[in-house]
Amino acid sequence: DMDEMEGADYGRNFAAIYEASHVRRRSIVRRESTMSVVVEETKDQLAPSQMSRLLTLLRFRMVAHYKDGEFLGTRFGDKIVFSILILSLYWGIGGNSDAQSIQSTAALLYFIAAICGYGAAAFVPSLTLERSLYYRELSDGCYAPATYYMAKFIEEGVLATITSLIFCLVVHFGCALQGNFFLLFISYYLTTMMGIILAYAVAAVSPTMEAANAILPTFVTIWMFFGGLFIVFDKIPRGWYWFSWTSFLRYSWGSMMLNQFAGEENGSLPVFYGDDGQAQNILEFYGLEGKVMGSIGACLGLLSGLIGAFSLVGVLGLMFIRHDKR
């Protein structure tokens, strides 16, 4: 080939010889075929969307947790224990019309809401124990903080549907509670999710699990004073009254009380007396009336708003607060 090209007036011009050679043509064909493969591989290696990453977390992490006996035990254990305790103490009390039973039922509903706050301590390790793994995967670009938080939210939300349904079935029918079962379930479910979200928010901003477990029950206890049972809303000092609107127990207990007593015979009985000596039913006595506290929809809406607010705190904590030391 070289001799033929030299004879074709190329002389010793090797660049021109290479341009006209079969070697160059084969090289071009091989390069183009290789580039097409590289382009296809590059297309396949595009970063997955956050939705895809969320589904991956749910597919592997959530399913694995649902097969873990310890994980399930901490979610079902307290529901079983408290449902048995409540049945043994309050069996059939919901339909009674005497003053003591009415007051005891009101206290029962408040206790049901409160245990969702204290039981949330079981969810604190869900974030704190995975903190090192979360930081490593976040640095590797596996997902965004909001994606990780959403995976946790869905994981607990799905399971809370089952645990709340079981608990409400036992309590509603065992204690002969009145009102709509579905509204009781929704109220309890949202309160459970509020406890979980509160635990996540505290865990996200607390440096250690010990600190989170100390802060969480402190918040819940403070809010218990402003829930409406221990001190009625009308008797809360003016300087503190605004704080009662931040208590999730106010809306949870309010919706359960309205569902239990509104429109029922024992809910209209004058079993209390106001400052003016006028007889009051239980809803009037506790101030569960008006456009806000007299509406189940308003109570559940405000409770949902608190869930959204503390979810934002948890996401921002995961995004901007780092507890690792370098």
Side-chain angles (χ1 to χ4, degrees):
D1 291 342
M2 183 71 70
D3 294 336
E4 293 178 1
M5 291 180 181
E6 288 182 7
D9 298 330
Y10 288 111
R12 291 292 180 177
N13 187 347
F14 294 107
I17 294 173
Y18 176 75
E19 287 288 332
S21 67
H22 295 290
V23 175
R24 177 179 177 274
R25 289 194 289 272
R26 287 196 298 269
S27 176
I28 292 175
V29 172
R30 184 166 57 252
R31 183 180 62 189
E32 290 178 350
S33 62
T34 304
M35 286 299 296
S36 65
V37 173
V38 171
V39 170
E40 290 299 324
E41 289 182 351
T42 303
K43 291 180 180 179
D44 294 338
Q45 294 174 0
L46 292 176
S49 65
Q50 292 299 321
M51 177 60 69
S52 176
R53 300 178 190 203
L54 172 63
L55 294 176
T56 300
L57 283 172
L58 295 177
R59 178 183 176 186
F60 293 99
R61 296 270 176 86
M62 185 177 75
V63 173
H65 286 158
Y66 285 179
K67 296 178 181 179
D68 185 358
E70 182 178 353
F71 180 88
L72 296 176
T74 57
R75 273 77 181 164
F76 281 92
D78 65 324
K79 306 297 188 296
I80 295 173
V81 171
F82 284 121
S83 62
I84 295 174
L85 177 62
I86 288 171
L87 283 181
S88 66
L89 290 173
Y90 298 94
W91 177 265
I93 199 174
N96 295 343
S97 298
D98 60 285
Q100 290 177 329
S101 295
I102 293 174
Q103 175 59 34
S104 297
T105 303
L108 165 64
L109 296 177
Y110 196 86
F111 177 77
I112 289 174
I115 60 178
C116 293
Y118 286 108
F123 303 97
V124 170
S126 184
L127 288 187
T128 55
L129 293 182
E130 290 186 2
R131 186 167 286 167
S132 298
L133 176 64
Y134 165 72
Y135 288 152
R136 184 169 66 250
E137 292 181 339
L138 189 65
S139 299
D140 292 340
C142 295
Y143 43 68
T147 304
Y148 174 78
Y149 189 92
M150 182 58 66
K152 289 289 185 183
F153 182 88
I154 295 174
E155 177 182 280
E156 298 293 354
V158 172
L159 195 58
T161 303
I162 302 173
T163 59
S164 298
L165 181 60
I166 294 173
F167 182 84
C168 289
L169 282 171
V170 173
V171 172
H172 184 270
F173 295 104
C175 298
L177 297 182
Q178 303 171 136
N180 189 294
F181 170 78
F182 179 74
L183 289 177
L184 173 66
F185 167 73
I186 290 297
S187 300
Y188 182 79
Y189 175 76
L190 289 178
T191 310
T192 299
M193 293 306 299
M194 178 64 208
I196 295 171
I197 294 305
L198 181 60
Y200 282 175
V202 172
V205 302
S206 300
T208 63
M209 186 167 64
E210 291 77 10
N213 282 330
I215 294 172
L216 178 61
T218 301
F219 277 143
V220 175
T221 303
I222 292 173
W223 277 321
M224 282 188 69
F225 284 101
F226 298 90
L229 179 68
F230 298 142
I231 179 171
V232 296
F233 299 130
D234 292 340
K235 296 300 181 181
I236 296 177
R238 184 173 300 177
W240 276 107
Y241 189 78
W242 65 270
F243 189 76
S244 68
W245 293 104
T246 69
S247 175
F248 71 94
L249 293 168
R250 174 174 187 154
Y251 311 116
S252 175
W253 184 58
S255 63
M256 293 183 189
M257 286 284 286
L258 291 170
N259 185 52
Q260 169 68 19
F261 292 110
E264 301 291 343
E265 180 182 355
N266 58 1
S268 61
L269 294 176
V271 293
F272 297 99
Y273 292 92
D275 292 339
D276 55 1
Q278 294 294 320
Q280 297 178 325
N281 62 41
I282 189 166
L283 296 179
E284 293 170 340
F285 177 77
Y286 283 114
L288 300 176
E289 52 188 353
K291 294 182 179 180
V292 178
M293 295 311 299
S295 169
I296 295 179
C299 288
L300 295 180
L302 289 168
L303 182 58
S304 300
L306 285 177
I307 292 175
F310 280 97
S311 294
L312 182 61
V313 173
V315 173
L316 293 177
L318 290 175
M319 291 176 63
F320 298 109
I321 300 177
R322 298 278 299 221
H323 301 291
D324 54 339
K325 297 180 180 179
R326 296 182 178 275

